Amino acid sequence: METQIFTKENLDIAAKALQQGEIVSFPTETVYGLGAIATSQEAVLKVFEAKGRPSDNPLIVHISDIQQMISTVEEVPEIALTLAKAFWPGPLTMILKAKPGIYAPALSAGLPTVSFRMPNHPLTLELISKVGIPLVGPSANLSTKPSPTKVEHVFEDMNGRIRGIVDGGSSTVGVESTVIDLTNDEGPVILRPGVITKEQIEAVIGPIQSTVKTTAGEREVPKSPGMKYRHYAPKTPVFVVDGTVEAFEETIHKYKVQGKTVGVMAQNAIVDAFENKVEGTYKMGTSVDDMNRALFDALRTLDHLKLDVILAESAPEVGVGIAYMNRLKKAASTAL
Ligand code: TXA
Ligand code: MG
């Protein structure tokens, strides 16, 4: 199958392909998604297949109109409306109890719940409303690889596997949405951290729990994204280094004396200090927001250089740094 690049001009063709059950990747502010109509079991199964995704990891339903959520769930808690008003369109995903028989059974992976998000990207909102049916949209990477934040990333992983990709430029947020479960008797729980922080959510709906667990038993259906599966990992081993020139100096030295080639992904000031002492660099900007935006592109770009190690700058685990470190730690599954 030839994978076509779509733009605003031929969005109708992309919409038609989706209606016919084909897979089209769409841009969002977080990462690119792998789109298919959420009501077709056959189309949803194709998404799992294209990604190589385990079938017990559920998918998010992407909507362009809040009615698409309201009319397909058992009940709409008041806080869901409050959260939607505060953060949609935007990088927040809400888990609610689904009405049975509407969405493809495969998308919930056996859970009685469905997750919803209204992405903040004009082309994708237009695409969903042209299709007229909500779209599933797992990140459009091959399972275990870093999530895609550019058309080229999607093309690298999905060329020949899907009908097309809607080119919406680079994702501005860079890490996936905050996932909040609203179906718990004990109150809302954040299952995956994102750039909409616990503090921002609490400012709108009051105190919540945030148990971001990172491990799960092998047999249970994972309740939280990525709890069980390896994620975001390039082929090159990734090591996390404190965000100081001294820490990088020491770590680079350690690998250099072993004769290893080294890549550095860090904020601009740190990269400037080591530019000609290592084989590869990626400047991640000057803030943690910049680091989130750059993270997946940095991992992919340095991985292409086929170096022995990638050294990645850590961020303080507060605010949006929690989302950054959640992804980086999963990419860096090897101990230093
Ligand atoms: O920002 C995002 O959320 C991106 C863009 C494309 O919208 N999408 C995304 O999808 O990250 P995905 O499938 O890679 O991650 C969604 C995560 C899954 O890992 C899954 O475990 C969790 O959300 N999830 C989805 N539905 C769920 C449910 N009903 N219960 C618990 N977790 C759920
Ligand atoms: Mg993903």
Side-chain angles (χ1 to χ4, degrees), residues 147-267:
S147 299
T149 53
K150 297 180 168 185
V151 168
E152 301 83 59
H153 300 163
V154 182
F155 201 76
E156 178 178 316
D157 284 13
M158 293 294 157
N159 184 22
R161 292 173 169 261
I162 61 173
R163 176 64 214 283
I165 310 168
V166 176
D167 185 351
S170 297
S171 299
T172 53
V173 168
V175 292
E176 302 88 341
S177 59
T178 306
V179 177
I180 186 166
D181 185 353
L182 302 181
T183 66
N184 254 293
D185 292 337
E186 302 85 57
V189 189
I190 293 179
L191 297 182
R192 176 173 72 182
V195 299
I196 293 181
T197 61
K198 179 170 182 261
E199 292 74 20
Q200 282 176 289
I201 293 172
E202 287 184 327
V204 186
I205 60 167
I208 55 169
Q209 310 172 53
S210 65
T211 42
V212 180
K213 301 203 185 82
T214 51
T215 54
E218 276 305 303
R219 275 178 310 169
E220 65 186 289
V221 174
K223 178 97 178 154
S224 157
M227 267 190 358
K228 178 166 139 181
Y229 298 107
R230 192 170 153 78
H231 254 74
Y232 312 124
K235 292 202 185 76
T236 317
V238 176
F239 299 103
V240 182
V241 180
D242 283 349
T244 63
V245 169
E246 296 71 40
F248 271 88
E249 179 102 59
E250 196 181 305
T251 316
I252 291 168
H253 179 73
K254 178 182 141 187
Y255 288 105
K256 283 285 155 201
V257 297
Q258 298 171 31
K260 299 217 152 117
T261 52
V262 174
V264 167
M265 45 187 274
Q267 292 198 50

Side-chain angles (χ1 to χ4, degrees), residues 24-300:
V24 175
S25 174
F26 57 80
T28 84
E29 77 282 30
T30 59
V31 302
Y32 275 72
L34 208 52
I37 43 173
T39 48
S40 160
Q41 175 79 346
E42 205 188 327
V44 171
L45 288 174
K46 277 192 210 163
V47 169
F48 280 98
E49 193 190 320
K51 255 186 91 78
R53 180 174 179 126
S55 62
D56 60 351
N57 198 359
L59 308 180
I60 296 169
V61 172
H62 293 71
I63 58 174
S64 56
D65 181 330
I66 194 165
Q67 283 307 328
Q68 292 169 319
M69 175 181 90
I70 292 172
S71 61
T72 60
V73 295
E74 286 287 3
E75 54 174 334
V76 187
E78 195 60 39
I79 52 169
L81 298 176
T82 309
L83 288 170
K85 191 153 182 252
F87 300 112
W88 278 0
L92 181 73
T93 295
M94 297 191 255
I95 298 176
L96 295 173
K97 290 202 180 77
K99 266 188 199 156
I102 294 175
Y103 294 112
L107 80 80
S108 285
L111 297 167
T113 54
V114 179
S115 56
F116 295 90
R117 171 162 121 78
M118 190 187 292
N120 188 14
H121 195 294
L123 276 184
T124 293
L125 291 172
E126 191 181 336
L127 179 69
I128 299 169
S129 64
K130 275 183 194 292
V131 174
I133 303 170
L135 301 177
V136 295
S139 50
N141 52 288
L142 285 173
S143 203
T144 80
K145 293 242 288 174
S147 299
T149 53
K150 297 180 168 185
V151 168
E152 301 83 59
H153 300 163
V154 182
F155 201 76
E156 178 178 316
D157 284 13
M158 293 294 157
N159 184 22
R161 292 173 169 261
I162 61 173
R163 176 64 214 283
I165 310 168
V166 176
D167 185 351
S170 297
S171 299
T172 53
V173 168
V175 292
E176 302 88 341
S177 59
T178 306
V179 177
I180 186 166
D181 185 353
L182 302 181
T183 66
N184 254 293
D185 292 337
E186 302 85 57
V189 189
I190 293 179
L191 297 182
R192 176 173 72 182
V195 299
I196 293 181
T197 61
K198 179 170 182 261
E199 292 74 20
Q200 282 176 289
I201 293 172
E202 287 184 327
V204 186
I205 60 167
I208 55 169
Q209 310 172 53
S210 65
T211 42
V212 180
K213 301 203 185 82
T214 51
T215 54
E218 276 305 303
R219 275 178 310 169
E220 65 186 289
V221 174
K223 178 97 178 154
S224 157
M227 267 190 358
K228 178 166 139 181
Y229 298 107
R230 192 170 153 78
H231 254 74
Y232 312 124
K235 292 202 185 76
T236 317
V238 176
F239 299 103
V240 182
V241 180
D242 283 349
T244 63
V245 169
E246 296 71 40
F248 271 88
E249 179 102 59
E250 196 181 305
T251 316
I252 291 168
H253 179 73
K254 178 182 141 187
Y255 288 105
K256 283 285 155 201
V257 297
Q258 298 171 31
K260 299 217 152 117
T261 52
V262 174
V264 167
M265 45 187 274
Q267 292 198 50
N268 301 357
I270 290 179
V271 171
D272 286 341
F274 300 105
E275 198 118 48
N276 41 32
K277 302 199 177 88
V278 294
E279 287 69 28
T281 55
Y282 190 105
K283 285 189 180 176
M284 299 181 81
T286 56
S287 66
V288 181
D289 283 325
D290 288 348
M291 291 168 87
N292 273 327
R293 192 177 304 120
L295 177 62
F296 293 133
D297 187 47
L299 289 169
R300 282 180 183 258

